[in-house]
Amino acid sequence: MARKRLAAEQIVTKLRQIEVLQGQGKAIAMARKEAGTTEQSYYRWRKEYGGLGVDQAKRREGLKVPGKQPKRARLWLNDGSCIRLRPEYPNHDWSFDFVETQTHDGRRIRLMTLIDEFTRKCLAVRVARRINAIGVIETLADAMLFEGLPTYIRSDNGPEMVAKMLREWLTRLGTRNLYIEPGSPWENGFCESFNGKLRDECLNGKIFYSLREAQVVIEQWRIHYNTNVHTPRSVIDHLHLSPSHQNHPLSTRRHSCNNL
């Protein structure tokens, strides 16, 4: 029986998984094996889709990029994973959430914010008109290439967070999902606090005339935030005591960015 051909988004997702595994020091053969693909398929996919995002890959194949998806039933784990996990070291626990703003013409802009709960560093802010599970995977993959793999990732129970594709992708990388209880945003308190700062210090004081302008301004603000973020005492102690983190970005202070 012939093997079913993978869709463009599935191929791009597998390529990102292999890329992350290679970034963690795994040989290409082992990374391909864990992603469940052959050498021949991998090099063919890399030639056709390497460096492309999912939407770009779909347009290349002449496929229609899907619009807004209907709401789905919300799911969450009931095995105790909603209990507050206290982060103990960098990459122990990441969390992500979504924020909305708009351009001057009233069109919606969606932001995915991703932070390390121990260092309080903002690892990424994805800015787009729509963000689905594929967009979440692409954002996480980019952060993992620079920061390493987290042990846990915390989020609420929105359709982008509980999507089967995302859960399986994280499982293959060895990262565990933590879902907060529905209607309990305080269980994702670090991300909620960051989102409040993002609104107060950036979004509420800006008028965006295009999506591109929003992407540039918000990225500048993210860099400014990371440069001047309040570092918890526990993080400072950890960075001083651990030789492996003496060169961590939070161990030094850089000049603040002005006129953002």
Side-chain angles (χ1 to χ4, degrees):
M1 182 177 179
R3 180 177 295 181
K4 185 178 178 181
R5 188 177 188 276
L6 296 179
E9 62 265 31
Q10 293 173 305
I11 293 174
V12 172
T13 299
K14 282 185 176 289
L15 288 175
R16 295 312 306 270
Q17 180 187 353
I18 293 171
E19 186 178 3
V20 170
L21 291 172
Q22 282 187 277
Q24 301 306 306
K26 292 194 175 183
I28 181 64
M30 181 61 68
R32 287 199 315 267
K33 183 178 180 180
E34 292 190 20
T37 185
T38 64
E39 180 179 8
Q40 182 181 8
S41 295
Y42 168 71
Y43 285 108
R44 185 177 72 252
W45 292 346
R46 196 173 71 169
K47 182 178 180 181
E48 294 178 5
Y49 299 98
L52 297 181
V54 172
D55 288 352
Q56 293 172 313
K58 285 185 174 182
R59 291 190 180 97
R60 181 173 178 174
E61 291 193 351
L63 301 176
K64 183 179 179 181
V65 178
K68 184 178 181 180
Q69 298 295 315
K71 283 191 173 183
R72 301 176 182 176
R74 293 189 167 193
L75 305 173
W76 61 91
L77 301 180
N78 293 315
D79 59 357
S81 59
C82 291
I83 297 175
R84 162 58 57 188
L85 174 70
R86 184 178 179 84
E88 299 177 355
Y89 49 83
N91 289 346
H92 185 200
D93 187 7
W94 291 3
S95 60
F96 71 94
D97 199 4
F98 292 94
V99 178
E100 289 192 3
T101 186
Q102 62 183 23
T103 44
H104 77 292
D105 55 3
R107 295 181 62 195
R108 185 178 75 162
I109 296 179
R110 203 159 191 226
L111 284 65
M112 171 187 165
T113 58
L114 175 66
I115 67 168
D116 183 314
E117 291 196 356
F118 182 79
T119 64
R120 310 292 202 273
K121 179 181 179 181
C122 177
L123 307 178
V125 179
R126 186 182 186 92
V127 182
R129 295 294 184 185
R130 294 186 299 270
I131 303 175
N132 56 15
I134 296 293
V136 173
I137 289 175
E138 290 181 336
T139 305
L140 293 176
D142 287 339
M144 289 173 180
L145 286 173
F146 284 97
E147 305 291 338
L149 293 174
T151 306
Y152 299 95
I153 290 184
R154 186 192 312 278
S155 67
D156 67 25
N157 307 280
E160 307 89 348
M161 288 85 152
V162 301
K164 181 180 179 182
M165 178 182 294
L166 173 60
R167 288 185 283 115
E168 291 180 345
W169 187 79
L170 289 173
T171 297
R172 288 194 293 267
L173 291 173
T175 296
R176 293 184 59 189
N177 294 98
L178 295 175
Y179 295 114
I180 69 173
E181 289 283 1
S184 304
W186 54 86
E187 291 185 357
N188 200 5
F190 292 120
C191 221
E192 289 292 331
S193 175
F194 172 81
N195 291 346
K197 288 184 175 67
L198 173 60
R199 284 195 175 282
D200 293 341
E201 299 177 10
C202 182
L203 302 183
N204 291 345
K206 302 289 183 182
I207 298 177
F208 301 117
Y209 290 93
S210 68
L211 175 63
R212 181 56 184 160
E213 180 186 6
Q215 291 170 335
V216 171
V217 171
I218 293 170
E219 176 61 15
Q220 288 179 331
W221 181 87
R222 185 186 74 88
I223 295 171
H224 171 79
Y225 171 86
N226 284 338
T227 305
N228 299 276
V229 66
H230 169 69
T231 308
R233 181 73 253 174
S234 59
V235 177
I236 295 174
D237 292 342
H238 178 87
L239 296 176
H240 281 303
L241 293 174
S242 175
S244 63
H245 291 93
Q246 287 180 358
N247 295 321
H248 193 279
L250 289 176
S251 63
T252 58
R253 294 289 183 182
R254 290 171 289 177
H255 296 292
S256 61
C257 300
N258 297 318
N259 303 319
L260 296 185

